[in-house]
Amino acid sequence: MSRAPTLVVVDFNVESRFLLVKSLRRRFPSATIYESDDEEKVIEIARAVDLAAIVAHRTHTMSGTELVRRLRDADPQVPIVMVSGVNREADARGAGATCFMHYDEWPRIGGIVETHLRSTGGTIAPGFDVA
């Protein structure tokens, strides 16, 4: 039996976070989605939970690139999609993000997560194959 994916969305802006989660729910309706504006809480989740992917913008006290670095330290394998309203692709990848998405593309986040996981031949959670 397949298990639904577990995802994390971290963004300091409640409305932006809501839109990202809404888009992910369309693609992964049975997913468990943790959402927060607190980097320490998200880093703790990344260490403790077998995540399918993390979508990270920034928090009130931490930039997106620093957040990605800390998340990558917490889980070296999890796909991390960094989002920003400014093109920070080089910085995002340098910090350890798997990919970068401009925030204006938020409706595509579910497809981006799924496409990336398919292209790497991975699964979105143990027992839940995206292929």
Side-chain angles (χ1 to χ4, degrees):
M1 181 178 205
S2 295
R3 208 168 79 175
T6 302
L7 309 167
V8 168
V9 176
V10 57
D11 192 337
F12 76 105
N13 184 291
V14 175
E15 292 85 9
S16 298
R17 196 170 63 239
F18 171 81
L19 292 174
L20 291 166
V21 170
K22 180 179 176 179
S23 187
L24 286 167
R25 285 241 180 262
R26 280 191 198 125
R27 184 63 59 139
F28 308 109
S30 60
T32 298
I33 302 177
Y34 296 97
E35 53 179 298
S36 183
D37 64 353
D38 181 316
E39 67 270 2
E40 295 306 323
K41 180 178 178 182
V42 172
I43 292 165
E44 183 179 316
I45 291 168
R47 285 187 180 122
V49 178
D50 184 19
L51 297 173
I54 298 172
V55 177
H57 181 208
R58 64 184 177 111
T59 67
H60 293 286
T61 60
M62 190 174 285
S63 72
T65 53
E66 181 58 27
L67 179 61
V68 168
R69 273 189 208 92
R70 299 268 319 271
L71 290 166
R72 182 55 67 216
D73 287 344
D75 186 336
Q77 303 301 316
V78 67
I80 300 173
V81 180
M82 183 177 148
V83 299
S84 178
V86 176
N87 186 346
R88 301 188 193 286
E89 184 167 6
D91 292 338
R93 290 188 179 274
T98 308
C99 63
F100 175 85
M101 182 189 85
H102 193 280
Y103 185 79
D104 289 346
E105 298 179 288
W106 69 265
R108 296 183 52 234
I109 190 63
I112 288 170
V113 168
E114 184 177 23
T115 298
H116 172 72
L117 293 169
R118 283 185 180 185
S119 72
T120 61
T123 58
I124 55 177
F128 193 101
D129 189 359
V130 296

